[in-house]
Short mmCIF file of all heavy atoms in Angstrom, two decimals:
data_model
loop_
_atom_site.label_atom_id
_atom_site.label_comp_id
_atom_site.label_asym_id
_atom_site.label_seq_id
_atom_site.Cartn_x
_atom_site.Cartn_y
_atom_site.Cartn_z
N ILE E 1 -18.74 -27.87 -14.84
CA ILE E 1 -20.20 -27.98 -14.80
C ILE E 1 -20.54 -28.94 -13.67
O ILE E 1 -20.01 -30.06 -13.61
CB ILE E 1 -20.73 -28.50 -16.16
CG1 ILE E 1 -20.38 -27.48 -17.25
CG2 ILE E 1 -22.23 -28.77 -16.09
CD1 ILE E 1 -20.62 -27.98 -18.65
N LEU E 2 -21.38 -28.52 -12.77
CA LEU E 2 -21.68 -29.29 -11.57
C LEU E 2 -22.15 -30.70 -11.90
O LEU E 2 -21.73 -31.67 -11.28
CB LEU E 2 -22.70 -28.56 -10.71
CG LEU E 2 -23.04 -29.18 -9.37
CD1 LEU E 2 -21.80 -29.37 -8.51
CD2 LEU E 2 -24.06 -28.33 -8.64
N SER E 3 -23.02 -30.84 -12.89
CA SER E 3 -23.55 -32.17 -13.22
C SER E 3 -22.46 -33.11 -13.75
O SER E 3 -22.59 -34.33 -13.67
CB SER E 3 -24.68 -32.06 -14.24
OG SER E 3 -24.20 -31.53 -15.46
N GLU E 4 -21.37 -32.55 -14.26
CA GLU E 4 -20.26 -33.37 -14.76
C GLU E 4 -19.19 -33.58 -13.70
O GLU E 4 -18.27 -34.37 -13.91
CB GLU E 4 -19.65 -32.70 -15.99
CG GLU E 4 -20.59 -32.64 -17.17
CD GLU E 4 -20.03 -31.85 -18.34
OE1 GLU E 4 -18.86 -31.43 -18.29
OE2 GLU E 4 -20.78 -31.66 -19.31
N SER E 5 -19.27 -32.89 -12.59
CA SER E 5 -18.29 -32.99 -11.49
C SER E 5 -19.03 -33.10 -10.16
O SER E 5 -18.94 -32.21 -9.32
CB SER E 5 -17.38 -31.76 -11.49
OG SER E 5 -16.70 -31.62 -12.69
N PRO E 6 -19.74 -34.19 -9.93
CA PRO E 6 -20.58 -34.28 -8.73
C PRO E 6 -19.80 -34.23 -7.42
O PRO E 6 -20.37 -33.85 -6.40
CB PRO E 6 -21.29 -35.63 -8.89
CG PRO E 6 -20.47 -36.40 -9.86
CD PRO E 6 -19.82 -35.39 -10.75
N ASN E 7 -18.53 -34.57 -7.42
CA ASN E 7 -17.73 -34.54 -6.19
C ASN E 7 -17.15 -33.16 -5.89
O ASN E 7 -16.53 -32.96 -4.85
CB ASN E 7 -16.59 -35.56 -6.27
CG ASN E 7 -17.12 -36.97 -6.42
OD1 ASN E 7 -18.19 -37.29 -5.91
ND2 ASN E 7 -16.39 -37.80 -7.13
N MET E 8 -17.37 -32.22 -6.79
CA MET E 8 -16.81 -30.88 -6.64
C MET E 8 -17.33 -30.17 -5.39
O MET E 8 -16.55 -29.55 -4.66
CB MET E 8 -17.11 -30.05 -7.88
CG MET E 8 -16.58 -28.63 -7.84
SD MET E 8 -16.80 -27.77 -9.40
CE MET E 8 -18.55 -27.93 -9.69
N VAL E 9 -18.59 -30.25 -5.11
CA VAL E 9 -19.16 -29.55 -3.96
C VAL E 9 -18.51 -30.04 -2.67
O VAL E 9 -18.12 -29.24 -1.81
CB VAL E 9 -20.69 -29.67 -3.91
CG1 VAL E 9 -21.25 -29.08 -2.62
CG2 VAL E 9 -21.33 -28.99 -5.11
N ALA E 10 -18.36 -31.35 -2.53
CA ALA E 10 -17.73 -31.89 -1.32
C ALA E 10 -16.28 -31.43 -1.20
O ALA E 10 -15.82 -31.07 -0.11
CB ALA E 10 -17.79 -33.42 -1.33
N ALA E 11 -15.56 -31.40 -2.32
CA ALA E 11 -14.16 -30.93 -2.28
C ALA E 11 -14.11 -29.47 -1.85
O ALA E 11 -13.27 -29.10 -1.01
CB ALA E 11 -13.52 -31.10 -3.66
N PHE E 12 -15.00 -28.65 -2.38
CA PHE E 12 -15.02 -27.23 -2.02
C PHE E 12 -15.47 -27.04 -0.57
O PHE E 12 -14.99 -26.15 0.12
CB PHE E 12 -15.91 -26.43 -2.97
CG PHE E 12 -15.35 -26.28 -4.37
CD1 PHE E 12 -16.10 -25.65 -5.35
CD2 PHE E 12 -14.10 -26.76 -4.73
CE1 PHE E 12 -15.61 -25.49 -6.64
CE2 PHE E 12 -13.61 -26.61 -6.01
CZ PHE E 12 -14.37 -25.97 -6.97
N GLN E 13 -16.38 -27.90 -0.09
CA GLN E 13 -16.78 -27.82 1.32
C GLN E 13 -15.58 -28.10 2.23
O GLN E 13 -15.40 -27.42 3.23
CB GLN E 13 -17.90 -28.84 1.62
CG GLN E 13 -19.25 -28.41 1.13
CD GLN E 13 -20.29 -29.49 1.36
OE1 GLN E 13 -20.07 -30.67 1.12
NE2 GLN E 13 -21.46 -29.05 1.80
N HIS E 14 -14.78 -29.08 1.88
CA HIS E 14 -13.56 -29.35 2.65
C HIS E 14 -12.62 -28.15 2.60
O HIS E 14 -12.00 -27.81 3.62
CB HIS E 14 -12.85 -30.60 2.13
CG HIS E 14 -13.56 -31.88 2.42
ND1 HIS E 14 -13.82 -32.33 3.70
CD2 HIS E 14 -14.08 -32.81 1.59
CE1 HIS E 14 -14.46 -33.47 3.64
NE2 HIS E 14 -14.63 -33.80 2.37
N ALA E 15 -12.51 -27.53 1.44
CA ALA E 15 -11.60 -26.38 1.29
C ALA E 15 -12.01 -25.22 2.18
O ALA E 15 -11.17 -24.61 2.84
CB ALA E 15 -11.54 -25.94 -0.18
N VAL E 16 -13.29 -24.91 2.23
CA VAL E 16 -13.74 -23.77 3.03
C VAL E 16 -13.86 -24.12 4.51
O VAL E 16 -13.89 -23.23 5.36
CB VAL E 16 -15.07 -23.16 2.53
CG1 VAL E 16 -14.96 -22.73 1.08
CG2 VAL E 16 -16.24 -24.11 2.73
N GLY E 17 -13.91 -25.42 4.83
CA GLY E 17 -14.15 -25.87 6.19
C GLY E 17 -13.19 -25.33 7.22
O GLY E 17 -13.57 -25.06 8.36
N GLY E 18 -11.94 -25.16 6.86
CA GLY E 18 -10.95 -24.64 7.81
C GLY E 18 -10.48 -23.25 7.48
O GLY E 18 -9.45 -22.80 8.00
N ALA E 19 -11.19 -22.56 6.61
CA ALA E 19 -10.73 -21.26 6.11
C ALA E 19 -11.45 -20.10 6.77
O ALA E 19 -12.62 -20.19 7.13
CB ALA E 19 -10.93 -21.19 4.61
N GLN E 20 -10.73 -19.00 6.91
CA GLN E 20 -11.32 -17.71 7.24
C GLN E 20 -11.70 -17.07 5.91
O GLN E 20 -10.88 -17.06 4.98
CB GLN E 20 -10.34 -16.84 8.00
CG GLN E 20 -9.93 -17.40 9.33
CD GLN E 20 -8.83 -16.57 9.97
OE1 GLN E 20 -8.60 -15.42 9.62
NE2 GLN E 20 -8.13 -17.17 10.93
N CYS E 21 -12.91 -16.55 5.81
CA CYS E 21 -13.43 -16.12 4.51
C CYS E 21 -13.85 -14.65 4.56
O CYS E 21 -14.47 -14.22 5.53
CB CYS E 21 -14.62 -17.00 4.12
SG CYS E 21 -14.26 -18.77 4.22
N TYR E 22 -13.52 -13.93 3.48
CA TYR E 22 -13.78 -12.50 3.41
C TYR E 22 -14.21 -12.11 1.99
O TYR E 22 -13.80 -12.73 1.01
CB TYR E 22 -12.52 -11.69 3.75
CG TYR E 22 -11.92 -12.01 5.09
CD1 TYR E 22 -10.97 -13.01 5.23
CD2 TYR E 22 -12.32 -11.31 6.23
CE1 TYR E 22 -10.41 -13.30 6.47
CE2 TYR E 22 -11.77 -11.60 7.47
CZ TYR E 22 -10.82 -12.60 7.59
OH TYR E 22 -10.28 -12.89 8.81
N VAL E 23 -15.00 -11.04 1.91
CA VAL E 23 -15.33 -10.40 0.64
C VAL E 23 -15.15 -8.90 0.83
O VAL E 23 -15.19 -8.40 1.95
CB VAL E 23 -16.77 -10.70 0.16
CG1 VAL E 23 -16.97 -12.18 -0.09
CG2 VAL E 23 -17.79 -10.17 1.13
N GLY E 24 -14.93 -8.22 -0.30
CA GLY E 24 -14.81 -6.77 -0.19
C GLY E 24 -14.28 -6.12 -1.44
O GLY E 24 -14.31 -6.70 -2.53
N ARG E 25 -13.79 -4.90 -1.22
CA ARG E 25 -13.28 -4.05 -2.30
C ARG E 25 -11.88 -3.60 -1.96
O ARG E 25 -11.54 -3.43 -0.80
CB ARG E 25 -14.18 -2.84 -2.46
CG ARG E 25 -15.63 -3.19 -2.67
CD ARG E 25 -16.48 -1.99 -2.48
NE ARG E 25 -17.02 -1.59 -3.77
CZ ARG E 25 -17.74 -0.53 -3.98
NH1 ARG E 25 -18.00 0.29 -2.99
NH2 ARG E 25 -18.19 -0.24 -5.16
N ARG E 26 -11.13 -3.36 -3.01
CA ARG E 26 -9.75 -2.92 -2.83
C ARG E 26 -9.33 -2.00 -3.97
O ARG E 26 -9.93 -2.01 -5.04
CB ARG E 26 -8.81 -4.11 -2.77
CG ARG E 26 -8.68 -4.80 -4.13
CD ARG E 26 -7.44 -5.64 -4.21
NE ARG E 26 -7.24 -6.22 -5.51
CZ ARG E 26 -6.44 -5.73 -6.45
NH1 ARG E 26 -5.77 -4.64 -6.25
NH2 ARG E 26 -6.30 -6.36 -7.60
N SER E 27 -8.26 -1.25 -3.70
CA SER E 27 -7.67 -0.45 -4.77
C SER E 27 -6.38 -1.14 -5.22
O SER E 27 -6.37 -2.34 -5.43
CB SER E 27 -7.45 0.99 -4.30
OG SER E 27 -6.54 1.01 -3.21
N GLU E 28 -5.30 -0.41 -5.33
CA GLU E 28 -4.05 -0.93 -5.90
C GLU E 28 -3.46 -2.07 -5.08
O GLU E 28 -3.62 -2.15 -3.86
CB GLU E 28 -3.05 0.21 -6.07
CG GLU E 28 -3.53 1.31 -6.99
CD GLU E 28 -3.95 0.83 -8.39
OE1 GLU E 28 -3.34 -0.12 -8.92
OE2 GLU E 28 -4.90 1.39 -8.94
N ALA E 29 -2.72 -2.94 -5.77
CA ALA E 29 -2.21 -4.18 -5.18
C ALA E 29 -1.26 -3.94 -4.01
O ALA E 29 -1.34 -4.65 -3.01
CB ALA E 29 -1.52 -5.03 -6.25
N ASP E 30 -0.37 -2.96 -4.09
CA ASP E 30 0.61 -2.77 -3.01
C ASP E 30 -0.09 -2.43 -1.70
O ASP E 30 0.20 -3.00 -0.65
CB ASP E 30 1.67 -1.74 -3.37
CG ASP E 30 1.12 -0.38 -3.72
OD1 ASP E 30 -0.08 -0.27 -4.05
OD2 ASP E 30 1.89 0.59 -3.67
#
C-alpha cells in the first residue's frame, strides 16, 4: 500500500531509470 511504503515510488523510479521497457502480447513460452 503506497501510504504504508512511501519510499516505494523512489525505489521503483530507480529500477526503471536504466531499463528498456516494453508491453505487449504473447503466446506460448518457448
